[in-house]
Amino acid sequence: MAHRSLLDAIHDSLAISSPPASEAHLFSSRSSTISSRLQSILDTTSQLNYALTQLSTMSPSNQTSKLASLMKQHAAISASIAISRAAVTGLSSADRSVVFPDHAPPSPNRVAEWGRAAGMEAFVDIPGGSSVSTIMLAGKVLVLDIDIEGRILVKTSFAVGNNVPNGTAVAPDLDAFLAREVSRWVEAAKYASSGESSPSMGEPAVVAADCARTLLGHMRYFVMLDSLAVNEGERGIRWFMEPVVAHQHFMSRAGDQHPSGSKVIPLDKLLVQRAFPILYLNFPSLSFLVWLSPLAYLRLRSSMPKHVRGATGQADIPLTHMTTSLFKDPNGATLASLKLVPSSEVLTVGGLSEGQNDHAFPSSPSHSWILEFSRSPFIYNGHDGIVMSQTRMQAIQSFLGVDAATDILMSIGTPAGASVGSGLGGMGPFGSMSQLNFNNFPASQTTSVENPNLISSSWVDMLLNPTSSGEHYKSTYHSPSGAHPPLNLRLSVPQEPGFLLQRVPVRTTNQVSRVLEIVREQCWLNELLLMSQWQPEDTAVPPQDPTAIDPPSSSTGATVADATELLASLLEGSLTPRSIPVSVFLPSTSLPPLAQSHRHATSCAVPQFSFSGLGPPPVSGDPSGGIFGTGDMDMDMEIPGLSMSMNSSMEIGIGTGMGMEMGGMGSMGMDFGGSVSPLRQPPMIILSSPATAPATALVELRVSFVPGSSNGAGTGPGNGGGDCGVKIEASAGIDTKGMDEIVRRGGIWGLPGRVWTKNHK
């Protein structure tokens, strides 16, 4: 093989596509790839610097000019070859991502072929006098017996450590999972080979090809586990049985929180307290149902047979129905899978056991455990993962003990005494490296036309409009019953960068619980925002007053009596406006409580957050362009989050020793020795709308997500939001009884309309 030249290295570096800022971080599936590419750029830079230094020492002469001419020709030829090679590589990588239809009928030889491709020994056994063939796939420790003719059967056994009676299944849950996966492929292959279509699936040939690829992936995962188990003898079975052990641990903790005598719990209320562990959902390991959108929960409830009920003390959705439904249609569900991957793909985190209630996963220097997240359908540019805010990504990073000192992505090429991110000198297609550690983002979000991948978009932009960014989004909410006028929602985008959370390294069950607790908070915000159709606000069109009433004109034949009646109804507050403006604000920092808040009797005490950085992000352009238009009302005191509490709560949290600043999670003082989660600002949505005439103030509603955590600690002082995990604060005189259930069912955007209807009557 020819030695790579400097020009080859330069062209390879130039061919590197810039990763989006949302994916160039510690918990991205591309972190190891980005790390190796950065190292390649640094090595190439060093080589280029050496070559230019050597050339600069040559004295000018005819030989030097001839050498320069030859080098130019060589560079042009090398560039042409590099372009052609990049084009071929791009086509081949695109082919690998395409699933080609598979019309072949199901055959035992196909399964045996996949086993050999994965690295297992494969045998097809046809007993004498029997038409049923059995496929045996064997590794060093694991043995799989698969029957695909007639009834689909899969039996798992181990070459060592089988301390079970003959005929007893060693891993019945794993057998059922593999049988379901094989059955899905057999069914699709039969339809594809016969040319028939199935109403329960898409194109059968494509489904069969996708199932074949999935089965091959499962076999490769088993081979990886087999390589770890072979060196441990009988003890090596633990690598295959760890999902079962971890599942039992999580279920035992859930049983302690919900005794067997308690009543059946709605699944969405159960998810408020903890993630729901599901064994072998879509991967041969342990999965977690982290969150469900209100529509997804309704779909699960409506599709459940009437005679089926959940077990006492558990969810109202039976496990069998839940698993089948999420496997077929995971839309609106946020899932996390516990997987084992090579250690070179992830960072190493600390993970000492925290006591009797904790469980450490089996460890190996060559492999690490991760939580891999998925949300269907994909939200961000077709990529799998969860859109997360910077604050919550920092919370995960701080909890796991990952910082710039141990971050391989940040320490590459950084000279001693230099600041983090200076190793590249600002060159290369990756630009600033600060986003790799979730820190040092600019206060304003600017758009770069030259390289849009480097835009540090707000997490709201990533969620609602990944292709661009804006300062405001608008949406219209219509009451299904027509109880109130349409609500014109105007969302102020928080100036907080967003990231795509794809995988997080973990080593203990407590780490899993705490990571899922943080992700759950973000999912609550994401799913509520996705309940409405948001569009970027057109800043070129000046906002109009949606509450304005067209005055009667002489051309319409209006009389003086009509005008008098209109004026009287305006003064009485009985006139119905065309629409109601509602300002939506997502605070990124802690807020003081509303003064004289009228809450339901079962609500918890208002948490005393410190006063820091209140108010929405500044709006560029005409300052008079508020949500009510020019001259609607005096807006001096009507800043969302401040309108009802600025004067009375200014001193709360100041000088009291609380000092909980959320600007940087790295200084939160994490205590890894206990089981209590650190205090965090609960996610909150603020809705502000004008009060019913003749009042001129704003009606403010604060909707917070404050459940008790999975380990018995809340997210902040006064932890408690009822069994819905929702706490409602409102302006004086507003009754919030029942609003938590409305939010639970996805009706948060209609709350201002309900308040208006009650006051209007």
Side-chain angles (χ1 to χ4, degrees):
M1 181 177 178
H3 181 70
R4 283 169 49 83
S5 65
L6 174 61
L7 288 175
D8 292 334
I10 293 175
H11 287 304
D12 289 344
S13 299
L14 294 176
I16 297 175
S17 59
S18 303
S22 59
E23 296 183 45
H25 59 81
L26 309 175
F27 305 135
S28 168
S29 59
R30 301 177 58 187
S31 59
S32 60
T33 303
I34 295 174
S35 174
S36 61
R37 288 179 175 179
L38 291 177
Q39 186 63 60
S40 174
I41 291 176
L42 293 174
D43 294 341
T44 304
T45 303
S46 178
Q47 297 177 31
L48 180 60
N49 179 63
Y50 176 79
L52 293 177
T53 301
Q54 295 298 318
L55 289 176
S56 64
T57 60
M58 298 179 60
S59 59
S61 64
N62 293 335
Q63 295 296 330
T64 305
S65 301
K66 185 177 181 179
L67 176 61
S69 178
L70 292 175
M71 292 179 65
K72 289 181 179 179
Q73 295 180 16
H74 178 66
I77 296 174
S78 298
S80 178
I81 295 175
I83 293 174
S84 300
R85 185 171 60 235
V88 173
T89 303
L91 290 175
S92 61
S93 62
D95 290 341
R96 286 195 296 268
S97 62
V98 175
V99 178
F100 294 96
D102 185 1
H103 296 275
S107 169
N109 293 327
R110 295 286 305 281
V111 181
E113 179 183 347
W114 299 335
R116 297 188 186 99
M120 306 178 75
E121 297 183 11
F123 307 93
V124 179
D125 183 21
I126 303 179
S130 175
S131 60
V132 178
S133 58
T134 300
I135 307 105
M136 177 183 293
L137 303 179
K140 302 296 182 181
V141 176
L142 177 68
V143 179
L144 296 176
D145 295 316
I146 305 175
D147 295 335
I148 66 171
E149 297 177 358
R151 182 185 178 188
I152 307 298
L153 294 175
V154 178
K155 181 180 179 181
T156 303
S157 59
F158 301 101
V160 294
N162 280 328
N163 298 323
V164 294
N166 292 333
T168 303
V170 179
D173 294 323
L174 181 58
D175 294 345
F177 166 75
L178 292 176
R180 185 187 67 194
E181 295 285 288
V182 175
S183 299
R184 185 166 174 258
W185 167 70
V186 170
E187 180 184 7
K190 287 181 178 179
Y191 278 109
S193 60
S194 63
E196 300 178 359
S197 60
S198 172
S200 60
M201 67 177 67
E203 178 61 32
V206 177
V207 175
D210 185 66
C211 292
R213 176 178 292 189
T214 301
L215 284 172
L216 179 58
H218 295 342
M219 294 178 186
R220 288 173 175 166
Y221 187 76
F222 287 139
V223 170
M224 181 183 65
L225 297 179
D226 193 80
S227 64
L228 295 172
V230 68
N231 297 323
E232 299 185 2
E234 295 186 0
R235 190 167 177 263
I237 300 179
R238 64 188 182 129
W239 293 100
F240 297 97
M241 303 305 296
E242 179 59 28
V244 178
V245 175
H247 180 264
Q248 293 175 350
H249 178 82
F250 282 107
M251 294 305 295
S252 64
R253 292 176 58 177
D256 295 338
Q257 297 177 5
H258 303 284
S260 58
S262 60
K263 60 181 180 180
V264 176
I265 307 171
L267 178 59
D268 58 341
K269 291 186 177 181
L270 187 64
L271 294 178
V272 167
Q273 303 300 328
R274 59 179 176 87
F276 193 89
I278 304 176
L279 195 60
Y280 304 128
L281 175 61
N282 51 17
F283 192 78
S285 188
L286 180 61
S287 298
F288 298 89
L289 177 59
V290 184
W291 196 253
L292 275 177
S293 67
L295 183 59
Y297 173 69
L298 177 62
R299 186 169 60 246
L300 277 177
R301 286 280 301 174
S302 59
S303 62
M304 185 177 63
K306 294 183 178 180
H307 65 279
V308 178
R309 292 291 182 269
T312 303
Q314 292 296 323
D316 59 340
I317 308 294
L319 180 60
T320 303
H321 177 70
M322 186 192 312
T323 303
T324 303
S325 301
L326 292 177
F327 181 78
K328 293 181 178 179
D329 184 15
N331 286 347
T334 300
L335 302 172
S337 299
L338 184 66
K339 297 183 179 181
L340 198 64
V341 298
S343 298
S344 58
E345 298 182 6
V346 295
L347 295 173
T348 301
V349 298
L352 297 178
S353 179
E354 298 184 4
Q356 297 180 353
N357 293 329
D358 198 8
H359 168 71
F361 305 127
S363 59
S364 170
S366 60
H367 291 78
S368 302
W369 293 94
I370 64 167
L371 274 177
E372 189 171 77
F373 293 91
S374 64
R375 197 273 184 189
S376 182
F378 298 153
I379 297 177
Y380 181 70
N381 291 339
H383 294 284
D384 210 350
I386 311 298
V387 174
M388 297 281 290
S389 66
Q390 180 188 31
T391 301
R392 291 177 181 86
M393 291 293 276
Q394 287 175 330
I396 296 176
Q397 175 193 359
S398 178
F399 162 69
L400 294 177
V402 179
D403 53 23
T406 59
D407 180 7
I408 60 173
L409 290 175
M410 298 299 297
S411 61
I412 292 178
T414 304
S419 60
V420 173
S422 63
L424 294 179
M427 62 168 294
F430 294 91
S432 174
M433 299 300 297
S434 59
Q435 68 267 22
L436 294 175
N437 211 36
F438 315 116
N439 291 320
N440 304 324
F441 279 87
S444 61
Q445 307 298 325
T446 58
T447 303
S448 172
V449 179
E450 297 178 356
N451 196 347
N453 284 336
L454 298 180
I455 302 175
S456 299
S457 299
S458 169
W459 66 269
V460 174
D461 291 324
M462 290 180 58
L463 185 70
L464 305 179
N465 188 26
T467 58
S468 63
S469 59
E471 293 182 345
H472 301 280
Y473 287 87
K474 61 181 180 180
S475 181
T476 302
Y477 177 85
H478 296 273
S479 171
S481 60
H484 56 77
L487 305 180
N488 289 339
L489 307 173
R490 187 173 188 259
L491 170 63
S492 297
V493 176
Q495 292 186 355
E496 182 178 8
F499 298 88
L500 194 64
L501 178 65
Q502 295 174 314
R503 52 171 56 180
V504 177
V506 291
R507 301 184 69 177
T508 67
T509 54
N510 274 2
Q511 288 183 350
V512 171
S513 299
R514 293 189 186 184
V515 170
L516 295 182
E517 180 182 334
I518 298 173
V519 174
R520 183 179 62 206
E521 297 175 358
Q522 185 69 52
C523 291
W524 180 81
L525 275 175
N526 291 356
E527 296 301 338
L528 288 180
L529 288 173
L530 292 174
M531 290 293 294
S532 186
Q533 298 294 326
W534 299 92
Q535 297 295 332
E537 185 178 63
D538 187 3
T539 56
V541 179
Q544 299 179 357
D545 182 7
T547 62
I549 305 297
D550 294 331
S553 60
S554 57
S555 59
T556 60
T559 62
V560 176
D562 294 333
T564 303
E565 183 180 354
L566 176 62
L567 179 59
S569 60
L570 284 172
L571 295 177
E572 295 174 358
S574 59
L575 184 66
T576 302
R578 293 197 303 265
S579 61
I580 302 174
V582 179
S583 174
V584 183
F585 176 46
L586 308 174
S588 300
T589 55
S590 56
L591 299 178
L594 281 172
Q596 302 176 356
S597 176
H598 181 75
R599 298 182 302 278
H600 186 226
T602 60
S603 300
C604 64
V606 180
Q608 304 295 308
F609 300 123
S610 64
F611 183 83
S612 171
L614 303 184
V619 180
S620 60
D622 184 7
S624 63
I627 61 172
F628 303 106
T630 304
D632 289 334
M633 61 180 64
D634 187 6
M635 294 292 293
D636 292 340
M637 292 298 296
E638 306 300 343
I639 301 176
L642 294 177
S643 56
M644 301 299 174
S645 55
M646 174 69 82
N647 295 332
S648 61
S649 305
M650 195 71 167
E651 293 81 10
I652 292 181
I654 300 178
T656 61
M658 295 183 62
M660 188 181 70
E661 298 292 340
M662 299 302 296
M665 298 293 295
S667 58
M668 290 182 61
M670 309 294 292
D671 182 10
F672 293 98
S675 60
V676 179
S677 299
L679 301 181
R680 288 193 305 277
Q681 163 68 13
M684 179 185 295
I685 298 177
I686 300 178
L687 304 172
S688 300
S689 58
T692 306
T696 58
L698 281 183
V699 174
E700 183 173 313
L701 297 173
R702 293 185 181 182
V703 184
S704 303
F705 181 72
V706 284
S709 67
S710 57
N711 55 11
T715 53
N719 56 334
D723 55 358
C724 296
V726 177
K727 183 182 66 178
I728 309 292
E729 296 179 84
S731 304
I734 303 300
D735 185 11
T736 62
K737 183 178 180 180
M739 286 188 178
D740 54 348
E741 283 289 338
I742 296 173
V743 175
R744 171 203 169 199
R745 301 176 185 275
I748 182 173
W749 307 118
L751 291 182
R754 291 175 177 266
V755 173
W756 181 90
T757 301
K758 188 173 183 179
N759 294 337
H760 188 68
K761 291 180 179 180

